[in-house]
Amino acid sequence: MKKTRFFFKGNEDLITNVEGKDVEDLQTMLAAYGFLKSSVAKNGRFCLQTKQAVIDFQRFFKLKGDGVVGPVTKTTLQQPRC
């Protein structure tokens, strides 16, 4: 099976109502890891469903479950997985 690895291009935190390519990539990651429904993925808008998926991801990895994709969450998301 091919390993999946993602990278964020920007350095800013991703929060509710932010839009853009990094949010689209975030949604793709969360969908690939099973935290976000594919129907929500790739709209590029950090909506409430995306925030809840981020919180679920953070709690799963024992991070602060605040729904903000900051440096620690980004690093965890970017770690290679099978």
Side-chain angles (χ1 to χ4, degrees):
M1 181 182 278
K2 182 181 175 188
K3 290 185 180 181
T4 303
R5 186 149 187 181
F6 297 97
F7 296 95
F8 291 100
K9 290 154 187 61
N11 292 325
E12 65 280 343
D13 291 351
L14 301 177
I15 58 173
T16 306
N17 296 323
V18 169
E19 296 182 14
K21 178 73 171 121
D22 274 350
V23 176
E24 186 177 319
D25 291 345
L26 168 66
Q27 292 168 326
T28 299
M29 290 180 217
L30 292 169
Y33 302 149
F35 291 96
L36 185 66
K37 293 179 184 178
S38 296
S39 60
V40 176
K42 290 209 158 235
N43 69 9
R45 206 168 9 107
F46 199 118
C47 58
L48 292 178
Q49 293 93 335
T50 302
K51 181 177 180 176
Q52 186 58 55
V54 170
I55 291 170
D56 293 344
F57 175 88
Q58 291 168 325
R59 289 180 178 164
F60 182 83
F61 285 97
K62 308 214 182 323
L63 305 174
K64 181 181 177 184
D66 59 3
V68 174
V69 182
V72 174
T73 301
K74 284 182 180 181
T75 297
T76 305
L77 279 161
Q78 293 176 138
Q79 292 175 351
R81 292 176 177 76
C82 294

